[in-house]
Structure formats: structure tokens, C-alpha cells
Amino acid sequence: MKKFISIIFLLISLVIYATPAVTGVTGTMDFPSAYILREKNYTISGNVDNNQSRKNDTLSADAVFEIGYLPQIETGFKLSTNNSELDQTFIQSNIKFQIVKEEDNPAIAIGYVEYDEYEAMADQKNEDGKNLTEAYVYLVMSKRLKSVENKVMDLSLGFKYGTTIEKKGMTDYFLTLEAPIYTKVKLLGELYTYEKEDNKKIITGNIGGEFLTRDTLRTKVFWRLRNSSFGVAVTYIGLINK
């Protein structure tokens, strides 16, 4: 009976709460949402992408661990093969605090993410890594909206303030959408801004899909327009026994 209840609890969490983005923090693809893991839930993810714009390697693999151990707080870390040195680009951490729960109002969260934008998202052949963020703080608002046939889609809007190698701050904006299109299948979309060397704001995006592979497994596939990279992320959702 206890095992049955645990499975039902996991299924509910799969429907209600998003899985981690490739950054580690709960979100869509590259950006966070205001939703968090349920208390006592944890996730283990493996991500692979083939960023053809990288100067050295075209294949990258990451491992992500995320836990929602306290109410309204989640934290985790990410190990990346983008850099073999034991620095921020190898071990990256994140923390999120949901300051407002969703009711009739949107959910609101703040957080901090260590994320090497140059290694993962940028077009290295055409962009200067010194002007891209190594870590950022963010404020994000998320709301579930009913679509056709009473399906629910998640819409998130936020901004992030990032530090760069040159230690100057940079503010960018992001919009994410998760929309069910079939049983156990979601359409994922992201639009975001970034700053080029001439201080102009550029808008670009990511598109992908999420599949409920098994009761405790989710698979995401995604395409980044900015660097024409294709990626796959597989996430296991577990429950810590009391």
C-alpha cells in the first residue's frame, strides 16, 4: 500500500511540476520557471548535446542532481564535461526559493544559477565569451493557463542579471512555454535576449519536446537556434523515504 501511494505521489508530481532544465534548476530547456520540486522529491538527469559551434569539441555531456528537500526551496548541482578543470565550469550549483505559491495569482520565484552561457548556448565561432554570463540571479513568474480541450499550459516570464568574465552586469529577459499536445507529450518553447559585442539586444529561442517515457522518467529533446545545437536530456524523478 505504501509503495502504491508513493507511485501515485510521483505521478502527481510529474504532472504538476516541471523537471530540471539543462542548467540544473527546475525549468524548461535553458531557463527556470517559478515552479519547484515537491518536498522530498529529487531528480537525476543526464544531458548530451552536439554544439557544432564549439572551437574544440562538438559533443558535451552533463550530469545534474536536484532536490526539493525543504518547503518552497530546491537546490542542486551540475557536472559538465565542457571543461575538465575543477572550476565553476565543471561543478555548477543552483538554488531557487519560491516566494509566492500559485493560486489565482502566478507563482513567483527568485534564484541563483551558475551557468557558463558561452560553453552551452553561444555560437563560439561568432561570439566573444568575455561578454557572456558565467552566473546569474533571476526573478521569474509562472502561471498555468487552460488551453483548448481544458489542457493546461505553463507560461513563464522572467529576467536575469548575470556576471561576466569582465565583471560587468548584464540584464536579459526570457519567456518559456510548456504546452501539452498529446498524451504524455509536451511542446517546449523559449524566447530570450542576449547582448552582442556592439551592445545590441538580440532575440533568439529554443524549441523542443518532452516525453513521459516511464512513470518516473522524462525525456527532453531540444534545438537551440543560437548555435544550431541538438540535445537530449533524460531525467529520473525519485522520492526520498521519510
Side-chain angles (χ1 to χ4, degrees):
M1 183 66 180
K2 185 177 179 181
K3 184 177 180 181
F4 176 76
I5 293 174
S6 296
I7 292 174
I8 295 299
F9 182 82
L10 280 171
L11 287 174
I12 292 173
S13 70
L14 282 167
V15 172
I16 295 179
Y17 291 97
T19 49
V22 298
T23 55
V25 66
T26 299
T28 304
M29 287 172 281
D30 282 320
F31 295 95
S33 70
Y35 301 122
I36 60 173
L37 296 175
R38 280 182 177 270
E39 187 180 355
K40 306 296 185 181
N41 272 188
Y42 69 90
T43 63
I44 300 174
S45 303
N47 311 317
V48 178
D49 75 77
N50 68 332
N51 184 345
Q52 299 295 327
S53 79
R54 289 193 182 99
K55 295 180 178 179
N56 299 319
D57 300 319
T58 59
L59 190 66
S60 172
D62 305 320
V64 176
F65 177 78
E66 192 79 6
I67 186 169
Y69 197 75
L70 298 173
Q72 293 180 258
I73 296 177
E74 68 175 37
T75 187
F77 64 89
K78 171 183 172 182
L79 304 178
S80 175
T81 61
N82 280 327
N83 195 323
S84 59
E85 296 181 9
L86 293 178
D87 59 11
Q88 178 189 302
T89 60
F90 179 71
I91 302 176
Q92 301 169 343
S93 62
N94 69 81
I95 186 168
K96 180 195 290 188
F97 174 51
Q98 189 185 62
I99 55 179
V100 177
K101 293 183 178 180
E102 181 179 26
E103 293 178 354
D104 293 332
N105 55 278
I108 301 175
I110 58 175
Y112 170 79
V113 178
E114 291 181 335
Y115 186 48
D116 193 332
E117 181 182 353
Y118 183 62
E119 291 290 342
M121 295 167 59
D123 181 353
Q124 293 188 11
K125 295 178 180 178
N126 298 305
E127 297 179 23
D128 184 357
K130 293 182 180 180
N131 296 322
L132 300 177
T133 55
E134 296 181 293
Y136 64 86
V137 294
Y138 64 88
L139 172 68
V140 61
M141 176 176 65
S142 299
K143 181 66 178 172
R144 293 191 169 94
L145 306 172
K146 284 188 177 181
S147 60
V148 294
E149 299 179 356
N150 288 324
K151 292 181 178 179
V152 177
M153 56 183 181
D154 298 344
L155 186 67
S156 298
L157 176 65
F159 74 89
K160 63 186 184 76
Y161 181 80
T163 60
T164 70
I165 293 175
E166 296 180 344
K167 304 304 179 185
K168 65 178 181 179
M170 199 173 292
T171 302
D172 284 298
Y173 305 90
F174 59 90
L175 173 71
T176 75
L177 174 68
E178 300 183 28
I181 56 174
Y182 190 68
T183 305
K184 301 182 180 181
V185 179
K186 279 185 180 180
L187 175 67
L188 308 177
E190 293 180 333
L191 290 176
Y192 66 95
T193 65
Y194 70 97
E195 192 169 300
K196 297 203 73 172
E197 290 80 355
D198 54 8
N199 295 323
K200 289 183 179 179
K201 289 288 186 183
I202 305 297
I203 299 176
T204 187
N206 308 321
I207 189 168
E210 182 177 76
F211 309 89
L212 182 61
T213 314
R214 294 179 60 185
D215 291 347
T216 56
L217 283 180
R218 279 192 173 184
T219 301
K220 290 182 182 179
V221 294
F222 55 90
W223 177 264
R224 293 188 181 104
L225 301 178
R226 183 170 168 185
N227 56 21
S228 298
S229 65
F230 175 78
V232 178
V234 178
T235 298
Y236 169 80
I237 298 179
L239 179 65
I240 298 174
N241 294 325
K242 293 184 179 180

